[in-house]
Amino acid sequence: MSFDAAAIKSLFSEVTSHASALNLFADVNGHAPESPPGHGASYAVWLSGITPLPKVSGLASTSGRVEFTGHIYTKMRARPLSGVDPAVMLLASDLIGAYSADFTLGGTVMTVDLLGAYGTPLQGAAAFADFQGTPLRVMEMTLPIVLDDLWDQES
């Protein structure tokens, strides 16, 4: 595999389309948002790291781990207030469940590193944020993806 512009574009597309196909979010974006979410929950995902993986690499090619950060956003002052955290937790749980059920993203990646075999596992961490004056409840998701044979090695 050549990890070229087309492969990278395809990976980003797969990550966003997989989340979008779940029909959990009003919006799914492959970039940090420019404005606060409207009605309902939104999900945005972007690149946060890339590294070669010695444990998966061979003598002819280098495999790697691409880490995405995703944010589930919802308005913090949604009613009832006591329903905000359970709703965000359910969205995170549904997202983790979807990756667990399809940990190769339809056969397009080696694996979503669900349990952290190659670094930080798939996980979510709750936070509060203020976005342009709109208080939000956010679940920051770590989405680690392992890809084999990204780069050719010199022979």
Side-chain angles (χ1 to χ4, degrees):
M1 175 181 189
S2 175
F3 203 49
D4 58 10
I8 291 169
K9 183 177 180 180
S10 177
L11 178 60
F12 271 82
S13 177
E14 186 59 39
V15 167
T16 55
S17 64
H18 185 269
S20 186
L22 300 174
N23 293 317
L24 299 172
F25 307 104
D27 297 302
V28 175
N29 295 302
H31 56 82
E34 296 181 323
S35 59
H39 184 70
S42 296
Y43 184 63
V45 61
W46 55 85
L47 177 67
S48 54
I50 183 170
T51 187
L53 285 179
K55 291 180 182 177
V56 185
S57 299
L59 296 175
S61 65
T62 303
S63 297
R65 183 177 179 275
V66 177
E67 185 173 295
F68 290 92
T69 296
H71 279 186
I72 297 170
Y73 298 98
T74 191
K75 291 185 178 170
M76 191 175 80
R77 304 224 193 283
R79 298 290 188 237
L81 290 174
S82 61
V84 173
D85 273 3
V88 170
M89 181 184 261
L90 179 59
L91 289 168
S93 177
D94 286 348
L95 197 55
I96 291 170
Y99 289 124
S100 294
D102 185 14
F103 61 86
T104 64
L105 300 182
T108 61
V109 303
M110 183 178 147
T111 189
V112 173
D113 194 5
L114 301 171
L115 303 177
Y118 306 103
T120 304
L122 175 65
Q123 64 181 353
F128 294 98
D130 184 88
F131 197 118
Q132 299 175 354
T134 301
L136 300 175
R137 190 61 163 142
V138 177
M139 182 68 78
E140 182 174 279
M141 304 298 296
T142 299
L143 176 57
I145 295 178
V146 176
L147 300 147
D148 55 353
D149 303 331
L150 294 181
W151 305 284
D152 293 331
Q153 295 178 5
E154 198 172 301
S155 49

